[in-house]
């Protein structure tokens, strides 16, 4: 500090007495109110350290380490609380939903909407990977929007498929297997069967009756009990060209749908069934 | 006040001041034509503000009967026979345009009358100044009180003033929430202190802002905060009415000496009455200033002084720039009349009329039903087992009437259409139920053979079978991928 208060000629502000290369530092302290606000926020911050989780530690009282304030509040407890709140809101519907049969649900607008909403979100989490976010499938992964159902498209059938899967490792799973015909039939017979399927050429009829009718039905319309796909519609699980069909007869590909019984709870599976059924192809 | 017009002096002894401190203004009481107008304007505007929410208007069952109501919870706005849904918020745009152009029109006719008489900042400030005068006395008493040391008397007067201010503010903030709720029900709830935190929050916020703005900020709002004051000059021309001091007649000003002949000198006797009554704290004799809100109180003050001196009115007056620049004998009334019919004014009338007609047309032809259709995007279409193509649509039906309705929906444009409604119960497109004053959502599947055009345009038609009213929505029926 200089002994004598010196003022800057231009602005009239007093200097600090410091000088660098002829430039003098002016003494412009932060305004008093600013200082007060700063002090108050500092004290406030210390209060926060006491009340809320503040300091990270390698291991500590907190769920993930760190100090826990005396209020006991953390973002984890907040998350749990808000989740519990949602569950509580849902519980009212869920208990009604649990008790209601499918026919009751489809007559009750609120329960049906509840089912669809839950189903839609569970579908995105669990089913969209294979069946697509809109349920439109892909070759080998059935389109859930259309009206072609290999194992049945009623609400109960859909629930059964979701719960126990197709060719899954569950004792109640739906199971079938198309044998590879390339060892049992010659190329010519396979082609005749293909032509019978595609364009009703009568030459292939006897071979079809002998080899295919047991699963796909006498007329090729399939059998939902056996899981034999309908061969007379325009929908093919694998592609539907002549070459694709011959390939499928020779060395069939088989998809696998996992059993969701142990991964999703029963009510979620019922919600999913309602949602899939609602996509437009559901059978009564 | 002699200290009103100190020129800022740059001094090296004083630290540089970047901001001017607010000078407290103690407007003196005045009476006259413009003061009367101001009281009348205050009476009308405040009455409308405080009482309007309590008006009733019968809209029949299933609708609130408050004449002016903004129902945020149900997202509806009501104004007598007008009812606005969120989809029709363009009406609000129209109303705002009318308000803005109306303001410009008023300005082009009479100058800053909005600022002087109708602006809420002016009205509440005026009311607050009245309270101040009612409790603490007129200008000199208030000045004396402000300068005096703290005493029981001063504390009592200040406390009373601020208590009254807060009371008015509370009424102001309180009245605001009535526009958003049923006024009578809410009034009852407020008396029982049983209101939602949001309502309480608004009451407190508006109470405090009124108290702050009308009690403390006052003319600072007009000078520093209000954008209107700044762009008004764009609306001014030499025919705009302004408050002005006739310096041809007034100068050379000077104190009146005994027996002086006023016909031989300037008529301004430098009594500063015009300055003392000014709520903006300016001296109108310095010429037209941005701060002047054209309230006319200086005119009243000057005219009353002219009366005492037996001189004609109008040394300070409402007049046009042309009027003030007119050459005429000292004291004779101005001969230049304001031109109200000018190109500018006619433009504003034109815009006002066309926008108003547009709004009115919109309101009169407002359809009580509305249809929205969204075509499914995922998947765009579905092929069914027999080769038929199916498209999905989300349709929303807005029933803006106050009665439950059954509507019919038809899809036209593609060959061989059949339809199916998804959902609870056996809804059919012939009779889709929509409750009064609500929106219903349905999911519809449309089946048709593959079309020639992969994006066949189709028209969805909504019909109210009882009134025959319809609404249409254009959408598409997708049947093939583009590259097929």
């Amino acid at each position: 500090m200089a002994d004598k208060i010196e003022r800057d000629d231009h602005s009239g502000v007093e200097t600090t007495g410091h000088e660098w290369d002829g430039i003098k530092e002016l003494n412009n302290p932060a305004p008093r109110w600013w200082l007060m606000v700063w002090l108050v926020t500092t004290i406030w911050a210390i209060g926060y350290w006491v009340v809320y989780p503040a300091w990270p530690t390698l291991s500590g009282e907190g769920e993930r380490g760190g100090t826990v304030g005396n209020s006991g509040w953390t973002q984890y407890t907040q998350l749990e609380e808000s989740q519990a709140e949602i569950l509580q809101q849902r519980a009212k519907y869920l208990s009604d939903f649990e008790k209601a049969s499918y026919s009751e649900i489809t007559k009750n607008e609120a329960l049906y909407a509840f089912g669809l909403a839950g189903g839609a979100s569970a579908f995105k989490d669990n089913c969209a990977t294979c069946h697509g976010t809109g349920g439109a499938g892909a070759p080998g992964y059935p389109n859930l929007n259309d009206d072609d159902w290999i194992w049945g498209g009623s609400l109960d059938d859909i629930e059964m498929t979701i719960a126990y899967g197709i060719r899954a490792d569950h004792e109640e799973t739906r199971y079938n297997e198309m044998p590879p015909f390339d060892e049992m039939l010659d190329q010519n017979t396979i082609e005749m069967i293909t032509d019978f399927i595609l364009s009703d050429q009568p030459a292939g009829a006897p071979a079809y009756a002998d080899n295919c009718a047991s699963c796909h039905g006498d007329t090729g319309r399939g059998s939902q009990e056996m899981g034999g796909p309908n061969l007379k519609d325009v929908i093919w699980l694998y592609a539907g060209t002549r070459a694709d069909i011959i390939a499928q007869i020779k060395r069939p590909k088989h998809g696998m749908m996992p059993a969701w019984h142990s991964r999703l709870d029963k009510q979620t599976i019922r919600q999913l069934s309602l949602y899939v059924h609602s996509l437009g192809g559901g059978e009564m | 006040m002699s200290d009103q017009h100190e020129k800022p002096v740059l001094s090296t002894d004083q630290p540089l001041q970047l901001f001017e401190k607010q000078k407290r203004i103690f407007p003196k009481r005045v009476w006259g034509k413009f003061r009367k107008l101001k009281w009348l304007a205050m009476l009308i505007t405040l009455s409308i503000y405080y009482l309007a929410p309590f008006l009733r208007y019968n809209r029949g069952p299933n609708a609130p009967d408050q004449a002016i109501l903004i129902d945020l919870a149900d997202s509806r706005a009501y104004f007598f026979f007008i009812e606005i849904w969120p989809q029709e918020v363009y009406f609000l745009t129209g109303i705002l345009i009318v308000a803005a152009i109306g303001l410009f029109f008023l300005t082009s006719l009479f100058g800053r009358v909005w600022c002087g008489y109708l602006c809420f900042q002016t009205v509440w400030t005026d009311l607050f100044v009245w309270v101040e005068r009612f409790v603490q006395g007129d200008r000199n008493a208030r000045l004396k009180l402000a300068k005096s040391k703290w005493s029981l008397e001063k504390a009592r007067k200040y406390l009373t003033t601020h208590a009254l201010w807060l009371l008015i503010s509370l009424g102001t903030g309180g009245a605001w929430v009535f526009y958003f709720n049923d006024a009578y029900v809410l009034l009852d709830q407020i008396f029982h202190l049983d209101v939602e935190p949001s309502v309480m929050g608004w009451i407190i916020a508006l109470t405090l802002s009124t108290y702050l703005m009308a009690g403390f900020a006052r003319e600072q709002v007009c000078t520093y905060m209000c954008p209107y004051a700044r762009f008004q000059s764009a609306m001014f021309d030499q025919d705009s009415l302004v408050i002005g001091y006739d310096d041809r007649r007034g100068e050379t000003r000077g104190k009146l000496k005994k027996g002086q002949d006023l016909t031989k000198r300037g008529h301004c006797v430098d009594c500063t009455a015009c300055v003392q009554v000014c709520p903006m704290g300016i001296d109108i004799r310095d010429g037209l200033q941005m701060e002047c809100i054209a309230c006319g109180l200086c005119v009243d003050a000057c005219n009353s002084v002219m009366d005492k001196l037996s001189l004609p009115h109008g040394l300070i007056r409402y007049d046009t720039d042309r009027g003030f620049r007119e050459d005429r004998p000292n004291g004779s009334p101005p001969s230049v009349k304001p031109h109200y019919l000018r190109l500018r004014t006619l433009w504003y009338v034109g815009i006002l009329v066309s926008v108003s007609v547009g709004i009115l047309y919109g309101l009169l032809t407002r359809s009580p039903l509305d249809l929205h259709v969204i075509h499914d995007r995922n998947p765009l279409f579905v092929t069914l087992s027999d080769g038929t193509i199916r498209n999905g649509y989300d349709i929303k039906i807005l029933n803006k009437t106050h009665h439950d309705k059954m509507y019919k929906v038809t899809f036209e444009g593609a060959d061989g259409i059949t339809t199916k409604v998804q959902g609870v119960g056996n809804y059919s497109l012939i009779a889709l139920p929509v409750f009064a004053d609500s929106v219903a959502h349905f999911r519809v599947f449309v089946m048709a053979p593959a079309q020639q055009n992969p994006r066949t345009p189709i028209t969805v038609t909504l019909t109210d079978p009882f009134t025959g009213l319809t609404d249409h929505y254009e959408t598409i029926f997708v049947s093939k991928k583009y590259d097929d």
Side-chain angles (χ1 to χ4, degrees):
Chain A
M1 285 289 284
D3 296 328
K4 198 169 132 255
I5 291 171
E6 188 189 359
R7 285 183 184 279
D8 175 53
D9 286 343
H10 181 68
S11 62
V13 178
E14 57 181 78
T15 69
T16 58
H18 306 149
E19 186 180 330
W20 290 273
D21 296 339
I23 297 167
K24 283 175 184 163
E25 185 186 24
L26 301 187
N27 182 18
N28 274 317
R32 179 61 56 87
W33 67 265
W34 197 95
L35 192 69
M36 295 312 290
V37 170
W38 181 72
L39 282 173
V40 169
T41 51
T42 306
I43 294 163
W44 188 262
I46 294 166
Y48 255 75
W49 295 348
V50 176
V51 179
Y52 291 107
W55 293 100
T57 55
L58 288 176
S59 64
E61 319 163 56
E63 211 170 326
R64 309 281 200 282
T67 58
V68 175
N70 69 355
S71 71
W73 182 95
T74 71
Q75 286 189 330
Y76 299 110
T77 58
Q78 190 191 26
L79 177 68
E80 277 159 25
E81 273 169 32
S82 53
Q83 281 176 334
E85 200 182 316
I86 292 168
L87 288 179
Q88 201 187 346
Q89 284 170 0
R90 256 193 230 167
K92 185 175 60 169
Y93 288 99
L94 200 56
S95 69
D96 289 347
F97 187 81
E98 252 175 72
K99 285 179 231 143
S101 69
Y102 280 130
S103 69
E104 283 164 347
I105 291 168
T106 48
K107 286 191 190 84
N108 182 321
E109 248 174 271
L111 282 186
Y112 188 64
F114 175 73
L116 287 194
S121 85
F123 188 90
K124 300 266 187 301
D125 277 350
N126 301 289
C127 318
T129 327
C130 293
H131 292 284
T133 50
Y141 302 97
N143 184 342
L144 305 175
N145 291 274
D146 62 28
D147 58 346
D148 189 22
W149 296 94
I150 298 170
W151 293 95
S154 71
L155 282 162
D156 288 319
D157 281 332
I158 295 170
E159 183 183 336
M160 176 91 179
T161 302
I162 297 171
Y164 305 119
I166 313 284
R167 290 181 276 275
D169 54 353
H170 191 280
E171 57 189 19
E172 288 187 59
T173 194
R174 291 180 141 155
Y175 193 89
N176 67 4
E177 196 169 304
M178 172 144 164
F181 284 96
D182 60 345
E183 287 161 12
M184 296 186 258
L185 300 172
D186 57 49
Q187 177 71 17
N188 190 33
T189 315
I190 289 173
E191 286 193 23
M192 283 199 298
I193 289 173
T194 306
D195 290 334
F196 173 74
I197 290 166
L198 274 174
S199 49
D200 285 325
Q201 304 279 327
Y208 174 85
D210 286 350
N211 296 290
C212 317
S214 54
C215 291
H216 291 287
D218 295 338
T219 56
R221 301 254 156 222
S223 159
Q224 292 183 347
E225 287 80 41
M226 306 290 293
N230 185 340
L231 306 175
K232 286 296 178 187
D233 61 17
V234 302
I235 296 164
W236 298 91
L237 181 53
Y238 299 94
T241 66
R242 192 164 182 275
D244 290 322
I245 294 167
I246 291 170
Q248 183 69 5
I249 294 172
K250 281 182 165 175
R251 291 189 161 273
K253 288 180 264 186
H254 295 111
M256 195 280 278
M257 159 99 173
W260 295 91
H261 180 259
S262 54
R263 305 199 215 177
L264 301 174
D265 64 68
K266 183 169 167 64
Q267 298 317 318
T268 307
I269 292 177
R270 294 180 82 212
Q271 289 182 325
L272 272 172
S273 307
L274 280 168
Y275 175 71
V276 169
H277 189 265
S278 81
L279 290 176
E283 293 169 351
M284 279 302 153
Chain B
M1 289 293 292
S2 57
D3 61 353
Q4 291 275 358
H5 307 289
E6 270 175 32
K7 291 266 183 303
V9 182
L10 273 176
S11 155
T12 52
D13 300 336
Q14 289 295 313
L16 198 67
Q17 285 292 323
L18 294 176
F19 296 98
E20 191 179 16
K21 275 198 172 162
Q22 182 183 7
K23 292 193 185 89
R24 283 189 67 187
I25 295 164
F26 302 89
K28 189 176 160 70
R29 187 172 180 275
V30 65
W31 191 240
K33 188 169 118 193
F34 295 108
R35 181 65 260 183
K36 273 187 226 167
L37 268 174
K38 258 173 92 71
W39 285 129
L40 187 69
M42 185 196 287
L43 184 76
I44 293 169
T45 49
L46 288 184
S47 302
I48 292 173
Y49 176 71
Y50 289 121
L51 301 177
F54 293 93
L55 289 175
R56 297 282 123 176
Y57 182 85
N58 187 12
R59 293 185 183 85
N62 304 322
D65 62 349
Q66 187 159 321
I68 304 167
L69 176 69
I70 298 167
D71 188 348
L72 287 177
D74 295 321
S75 51
R76 304 275 185 277
Y78 303 92
F79 186 82
F80 293 94
F81 66 97
I82 302 171
E83 181 185 336
I84 294 177
W85 283 43
Q87 291 86 347
E88 301 165 309
V89 80
Y90 46 77
F91 282 124
L92 184 66
T93 313
I95 290 164
L96 289 175
I97 292 174
V98 168
I101 303 291
L103 185 60
F104 301 165
F105 178 57
L106 205 61
T107 307
S108 73
L109 283 187
F110 308 117
R112 288 179 72 165
V113 281
W114 166 263
C115 297
Y117 299 89
L118 299 169
C119 176
F120 37 86
Q121 178 65 25
T122 291
V123 169
W124 267 288
T125 301
D126 211 22
L127 186 62
F128 273 43
V129 171
W130 176 81
V131 169
E132 209 171 65
R133 185 162 61 230
F134 177 75
V135 177
Q136 303 171 15
D138 206 0
R139 177 181 162 87
N140 290 338
R142 299 213 297 282
L143 267 169
K144 210 173 128 195
L145 191 68
K147 279 181 185 155
S148 69
K149 286 224 174 63
W150 278 102
S151 66
L152 222 56
E153 172 80 352
K154 183 170 176 174
R156 181 185 68 77
K157 281 185 172 168
Y158 271 46
L159 268 174
T160 317
T161 309
H162 286 263
L164 283 173
W165 281 358
L166 276 168
L167 209 65
I168 295 169
S169 304
L170 185 66
T172 308
W176 181 254
V177 295
F178 293 140
Y179 287 88
F180 298 85
N181 296 277
D182 189 297
Y184 291 98
V185 174
L186 187 63
L187 189 65
D188 189 59
Q189 287 173 344
I190 288 173
F191 275 124
H192 291 90
L193 289 175
D194 170 32
V195 289
E196 284 173 42
S198 64
V199 173
M200 210 61 223
W202 277 107
I203 293 178
I204 292 170
L206 285 158
T207 301
L208 292 181
S209 59
T210 309
Y211 179 62
L212 184 72
M213 291 299 153
F216 302 91
R218 294 197 179 171
E219 79 287 347
Q220 305 266 312
V221 174
C222 311
T223 313
Y224 300 113
M225 289 165 67
C226 180
Y228 184 54
R230 303 271 165 175
F231 71 75
Q232 271 183 123
S233 51
M235 276 163 261
F236 273 31
D237 56 29
Q238 55 180 1
D239 283 305
S240 301
L241 278 173
V242 293
I243 303 273
Y245 163 71
D246 192 343
D247 52 2
R248 287 157 187 275
R249 176 183 152 192
E251 300 298 327
T252 315
R253 73 182 83 155
K255 292 271 182 256
L256 189 61
K257 295 187 189 89
K258 237 182 193 157
Q260 202 173 18
D261 181 7
L262 270 164
T263 55
K264 300 233 168 75
R265 53 157 280 183
H267 284 181
C268 177
V269 293
D270 209 7
C271 65
T272 69
C274 55
V275 178
Q276 292 178 32
V277 299
C278 181
M280 299 298 294
I282 57 167
D283 187 341
I284 193 63
R285 297 171 301 175
D286 292 344
L288 183 60
Q289 292 149 75
M290 189 203 74
E291 288 88 342
C292 176
I293 58 169
C295 63
L297 294 186
C298 52
V299 180
D300 283 343
C302 189
N303 283 348
S304 64
V305 173
M306 290 298 118
D307 282 343
K308 280 180 204 149
L309 300 172
S310 307
L311 287 168
H313 283 182
L315 176 57
I316 296 174
R317 64 174 184 271
Y318 252 113
D319 203 346
T320 65
D321 186 44
R322 289 192 309 118
F324 281 117
R325 285 190 290 116
E326 180 196 20
D327 275 319
R328 62 173 177 276
N330 201 359
S332 70
S335 63
V336 179
K337 293 277 172 268
H339 296 178
Y340 288 119
L341 286 178
R342 314 199 297 276
L343 193 60
R344 176 190 296 272
T345 340
L346 294 176
W347 263 113
Y348 289 141
V349 174
I351 300 171
L352 265 186
V353 168
S354 52
V355 175
S356 307
V357 166
I359 293 177
L360 208 64
Y361 176 79
L363 285 173
L364 291 178
T365 57
R366 176 182 184 270
S367 176
L369 50 86
D370 206 350
L371 172 71
H372 295 269
V373 180
I374 305 167
H375 183 273
D376 275 6
R377 285 169 179 78
N378 181 18
L380 278 171
F381 68 94
V382 175
T383 309
L384 301 181
S385 354
D386 62 353
T388 308
I389 306 294
R390 195 190 70 210
N391 281 214
Y393 300 87
D394 278 327
I395 67 175
K396 276 185 179 167
I397 301 175
L398 278 66
N399 175 7
K400 297 181 203 167
T401 70
H402 302 307
H403 307 282
D404 296 349
K405 291 263 188 183
M406 292 286 224
Y407 293 107
K408 188 176 125 185
V409 170
T410 51
F411 284 77
E412 284 159 315
D415 301 323
I417 281 180
T418 54
T419 52
K420 191 174 98 185
V421 186
Q422 180 226 61
V424 181
N426 290 315
Y427 286 145
S428 127
L429 285 180
I430 296 168
L432 291 174
V434 188
F435 288 122
D437 207 38
S438 63
V439 184
H441 170 238
F442 300 96
R443 210 168 140 60
V444 178
F445 292 118
V446 173
M447 282 75 67
Q451 307 283 312
Q452 285 290 325
N453 182 354
R455 293 164 54 87
T456 310
I458 56 171
T459 306
V460 191
T461 306
L462 172 74
T463 315
D464 179 346
F466 290 97
T467 59
L469 283 172
T470 58
D471 191 26
H472 302 281
Y473 202 97
E474 305 295 330
T475 180
I476 51 165
F477 183 84
V478 180
S479 60
K480 282 255 163 55
K481 284 179 195 161
Y482 306 119
D483 53 10
D484 271 1

